[in-house]
Amino acid sequence: MTCEELYQEAVKASSKSYSKYSGFHVGAALLAEDGRVFTGCNIENASYSMTICAERTAIFKAVSEECTSYSAIAVAGSSDDDFSAPCTPCGACLQVMSEFCGDDFVIVLSDGAHKLGDFLPKRFTEDNMA
Ligand code: THU
């Protein structure tokens, strides 16, 4: 699957977004090493801090299916169906990615492919507890 195809899966997943408070629709498409694609959307809540981002929805869906090895995630966000601006993953989502993925994990945004290591170079991992 190409980066562009994965990005289009993320755009498609954003149509499921439950975002009545922000009006910002986000979709994520997580490509597992075995080729499966897990999608997710942001799910908001009247108690705002209970909101979950699209990326974590996709990752938690995958983990709950016992799939923990991934090669890439695409993220697409928009309030008006124009997905041309990059939707950068938040710090919480990057931290969750770093639990399962290394520096070379690919993050596909509207402006192309990036690496997890570029967004979160000195992240907290289990090694810090050694
Ligand atoms: N959001 C995501 O789902 N992923 C991101 O990468 C950034 C932000 C959601 C959370 C909230 O529902 C809305 O976008 C506005 O912050």
Side-chain angles (χ1 to χ4, degrees), residues 30-38 65-67:
L30 177 70
L31 178 62
E33 279 183 355
D34 65 9
R36 281 184 286 173
V37 174
F38 295 88
E65 298 292 325
E66 294 184 306
C67 178

Side-chain angles (χ1 to χ4, degrees), residues 41-125:
C41 61
N42 55 331
I43 304 168
E44 298 186 345
N45 192 281
S47 178
Y48 292 177
S49 64
M50 296 299 102
T51 293
I52 187 162
C53 294
E55 298 92 315
R56 277 176 288 152
T57 302
I59 294 168
F60 293 157
K61 277 172 70 178
V63 175
S64 72
E65 298 292 325
E66 294 184 306
C67 178
T68 55
S69 299
Y70 321 120
S71 40
I73 192 168
V75 189
S78 174
S79 8
D80 59 5
D81 285 344
D82 175 0
F83 290 92
S84 55
C87 178
T88 306
C90 76
C93 289
L94 293 169
Q95 181 63 31
V96 169
M97 288 173 202
S98 90
E99 179 67 24
F100 303 102
C101 309
D103 279 343
D104 289 337
F105 178 64
V106 174
I107 299 174
V108 180
L109 306 180
S110 64
D111 60 352
H114 306 264
K115 295 280 174 77
L116 176 59
D118 295 331
F119 285 119
L120 205 60
K122 293 183 181 175
R123 57 189 187 273
F124 179 77
T125 69

